[in-house]
Amino acid sequence: MKSEFRNWSGIRIFLAVVRAGSTLAAARQLGMAQPTVARRIEALEHELGVPLFERDTRGFHPTEMARALLPKAEEIEAATTRFAQTIEALTCT
């Protein structure tokens, strides 16, 4: 695994796939094309050096590693939400 992780938008896609259970459902929620979501997951797995999902005909299933990373990804999501809310509050004054 690389020492410095730089793919913050990949976390949003990772969370969407975990929650939706498939790249197709996640793509619909994100307003993206399904092949783009699938490629972004593959790129994230490559960047991290670990498989995040087991794939089968019923969808994408988080691996043990993905389940271990999920709480941290959710913390990042919450932090980015708070960041955006702070920006909005500061610019609306």
Side-chain angles (χ1 to χ4, degrees):
M1 184 163 82
K2 294 181 180 178
S3 61
E4 187 176 340
F5 180 72
R6 296 184 180 159
N7 190 352
W8 303 114
S9 66
I11 293 171
R12 184 175 70 112
I13 294 170
F14 164 73
L15 287 170
V17 174
V18 168
R19 292 170 179 161
S22 74
T23 56
L24 180 59
R28 288 180 180 147
Q29 292 173 359
L30 295 168
M32 300 173 78
Q34 183 276 334
T36 301
V37 171
R39 281 193 307 272
R40 297 286 299 276
I41 290 296
E42 288 174 8
L44 182 60
E45 290 175 324
H46 179 74
E47 182 176 357
L48 297 175
V50 297
L52 296 172
F53 295 96
E54 295 175 4
R55 294 128 166 104
D56 65 22
T57 57
R58 294 175 305 205
F60 278 45
H61 310 284
T63 62
E64 185 177 332
M65 180 69 70
R67 289 189 296 275
L69 293 171
L70 184 59
K72 294 299 179 188
E74 290 171 332
E75 287 176 23
I76 293 168
E77 178 184 48
T80 59
T81 299
R82 289 190 305 272
F83 184 82
Q85 290 168 342
T86 301
I87 291 170
E88 185 176 331
L90 291 171
T91 59
C92 289
T93 57

